[in-house]
Amino acid sequence: MTDKPTLSDWQAAAAKEVKGRDLTWQTPEGIAVKPLYTAADVEGIDPGLPGFAPFTRGVRASMYAGRPWTIRQYAGFSTAEASNAFYRRNLAAGQKGLSVAFDLATHRGYDSDHPRVTGDVGKAGVAIDTIDDMKILFDGIPLDKMSVSMTMNGAVIPILAFFIVAGEEQGVPQALLDGTIQNDILKEFMVRNTYIYPPEPSMRIISDIIAYTSAHMPKFNSISISGYHMQEAGATQLQELAFTIADGREYAKAAMASGLDLDAFAGRLSFFFAIGMNFFMEVAKLRAARKLWHRVMTDLGAKDERSKMLRTHCQTSGVSLTEQDPYNNVIRTTVEAMAAMLGGTQSLHTNALDEAIALPTDFSARIARNTQIVLQEETGMTKVVDPLGGSYYIEALTEELVDKAWEIIQRVEAEGGMAQAVAAGWPKAMIEEASAGRAARVDKGEDVIVGVNKYKLAEQDPIDILDVDNVAVRESQIARIARSKAGRDEAKCTAALDALREGARGTTNVLALAVECARQRATLGEISSAMEDIFGRYDTVPTPVSGIYGGAHEFDAAWQGLKEGVVSLETRNGRRPRMLVAKMGQDGHDRGANLVSSAFGDLGFDVVPGPLFQTPSEAAKLAIESDVDVVGASSLAAGHKTLIPELIGHLREAGRGDIKVIAGGVIPAQDYQVLRDAGVQGIFGPGTNLVEAAGEVLRLLGHNMPPVEEDVK
C-alpha cells in the first residue's frame, strides 16, 4: 500500500515544479497567503452555524436557500421625472429595491439655483430641491411596499424629511416606511467629503435621526455604516473592515450617550461594503465583519441577539472598472457579485460596464441587473447555505482578518474613539498611503489590470454613454423651485424654519422640526441653511502623502529621467515647476487629485493642493496668486464641460492665459474635443499612468524629452 502523501511531500513536489520559487503572496493588507491550506491552519477555529452567534456563516439559518438577497440598482440622474421612469423600467425588469443616487448639489445642501452648483445639477445623480421633487421621484412606486435605500449624508435631514412627507402624501404612515438612509458622516470626513456641518453637530444629527426613526419608523434602517467609499478611496480590505466596524461602534455609543437604549435601536443599524477583485479576501471580509460586530455589540452591552447581527448591503467596486476595454467590466462585476453572495450579503448593487466613464445607460444597467438574476436563477449557488464555509483557506483568512482588524479597532478605542481618530487624521493618512502604493504597483505593471497595463487593445472602440444636459436640468429645477415657493404659505414656512434654527441651537430633535419644514414646502437649501446658521459649514484642504508613489519608482530609469527634467526646468526658470491641483464643483472624491499631488510632489514639483468645492473663479484666483505654471483640474462627477472652460475663461480675462490647464478623471472620450476647443492642453482619463502623464506635463512646460513610454520600453 502506498503511504499517504504528507505536507512535506507536497512542498517538495511544488518546489520542483516551480524551481524553488516562493509561491507565498503578500497581500496589500500585509497578510502572507500561502499556496496551500490544510486542516492544521484551521485548528481551533469554530465558525459556528448560520443564524447563530457570532453569525460568521450568515445572519439567517436558511440564508439564500430560504430567500435570495435583494437586487438593488444605485441610480438617479437628471430630473425626478427621468429617474422615476428609469426606476419603473428597472422594477418591471426584476429589480426588487430602490437605491437612490442624488446629485452633488443635493448632497451638499444647495438648491439648484445656488451659484456654487452650476456644473453639478443633475449630473451625478438626481436633483432634489423640494418635496415636489421627492413626490415625483416615487410617483407610482408605493412606499408601503417598496424598500428604498438613500445614499445621503450631508443633507440627510431635509432628504429624510422629504421622504417622510412624500410617504404621508401618498397615504403611507411613517411606521410603514421601509428602507435605509446612509447617514454615515464619519466616513465623509475620512474619504468622500460630501459633508456640510462640522463633526460635533454632524454626530448630533445622527443621534437625532436614530432617536426619531426608533420612535416612529420601526421598519426603517436609520444608518448604513459604510466602508464602500473607503475602499473606493484606496483603502485595503483590512482598513475598510476595521474602520467601518469602528465607525459603527462610535455611532452606537453616540446614540447611547443621548439616552437611547442600545437594544431599542441596534437592530436597525446596517452596513455597506465594497466588493473588489480580491475574491477570497472579500468573502472572508464579510464573514469577519459579522464576527467583529457581534463582539463589539456584546462589549457595549447588547442583550438581544438581533442587536448583534451585522446586516449589510454590498456594491461591486467602481474603482475596479476601467475606461479602457470596458466590456471587461462585465466580467469584473460578475466576479465581485459572486464574492458578495458567497460572503453572505443581504442586498447587492452591481455596477454597469460604463460607470468608469458616465452614468449607466438602460443597456448597461440591464446587463448589470441581469448579472444578479442569472446568479440567483441559473447557477444553483443559492441552494446551499454558506457554501465556502469549512474551506481551509476561507476560515484561516477570516480569522486573520478578524485579528488584524481588531488590533486597529483597539487602537481607535485607546485614542478616544473614531471621531477623535478622524479628527487626528491618521485613518485617512493610512488610506492615502495604501492608495498611492496601489497606484504605483499598477503603473509599474506589478498589479495587472487587463486592458490597461497588460493585454491592451491597439484601438479603443467607442461605446454609447448617458449624457445629461446640465443646463436644461438646472433651468427645469429653478422653475420648479419658483413654483413651489409661489404656492406655499410663506409665514408658516418661515415659522417652521425659525423653529428649526432654535431647535438646532437647543436640544429639540432636528429631524422632527425638519419634517414640519417639509410639510410647509421649505426647500432643501432653506432647511440646510437654517441649520448652517447655527452649526456653521465645514471645509478642509487635502493633505497628500509623500514618498509612497515616488519610493516605488525610485530605481526606474523613466522616473529618474522625469526627475532630471524637473531639475532642468528649475535651472532654466529659477524655480521648480508649480502645479495647482484643483477640485471644482461639489465633487468631494479626492482620490485622483491626491494621487496626482503625491506623484508630482515626489517628482519635485511645487504642488498647491487646492481646497475642495471651489468655483472656477476661485480656482483661477488661487492659480494666479500662487503663480503656478499649470492647473490640473480633477473631475469625477461629470461637471468638466461646464467648470473647466469657465476656469480657462477666468484665467484669460485676468491676462494669465499662459497658465496651462490640463484635465483628469472620469471624462468620456467624446468630450475631449469640447475641452480641447476650450483650451485644455492635456486630458488624462481613468487608468492613466501617472509616470507617462508627468512626461506629457513636462513637455507642455517646454522640457524637450522623449515620450516616457519609449523609456519604459
Side-chain angles (χ1 to χ4, degrees), residues 69 71 90 93-96 350 366-379:
W69 66 90
I71 298 172
N90 285 1
Q95 185 177 314
K96 300 300 183 185
T350 33
R366 176 175 171 269
I367 294 173
R369 182 179 59 252
N370 284 355
T371 300
Q372 296 192 54
I373 295 173
V374 168
L375 289 177
Q376 288 188 356
E377 301 290 350
E378 296 188 21
T379 64

Side-chain angles (χ1 to χ4, degrees), residues 267-281:
R268 303 315 302 174
L269 304 180
S270 67
F271 286 79
F272 174 27
F273 286 102
I275 303 294
M277 285 298 288
N278 190 345
F279 185 85
F280 292 107
M281 189 71 75

Side-chain angles (χ1 to χ4, degrees), residues 6 13 37 87 120 163 310 326 353 464 533 549 561 573 591 600:
T6 65
Y37 284 77
Y87 295 160
D120 297 301
F163 179 70
L310 182 145
L353 66 95
D464 293 331
D533 289 344
Y549 188 92
N573 300 328
R591 174 179 181 160
F600 278 76

Side-chain angles (χ1 to χ4, degrees), residues 587-649:
D587 169 29
H589 294 87
D590 59 358
R591 174 179 181 160
N594 287 341
L595 284 175
V596 169
S597 295
S598 296
F600 278 76
D602 287 350
L603 268 179
F605 275 68
D606 276 336
V607 175
V608 180
L612 300 177
F613 315 123
Q614 285 193 304
T615 63
S617 62
E618 290 168 344
K621 184 173 183 287
L622 180 59
I624 294 166
E625 290 174 349
S626 303
D627 192 23
V628 301
D629 305 297
V630 60
V631 176
S634 173
S635 174
L636 294 178
H640 49 271
K641 288 196 293 185
T642 301
L643 299 171
I644 297 176
E646 282 188 28
L647 165 68
I648 294 170

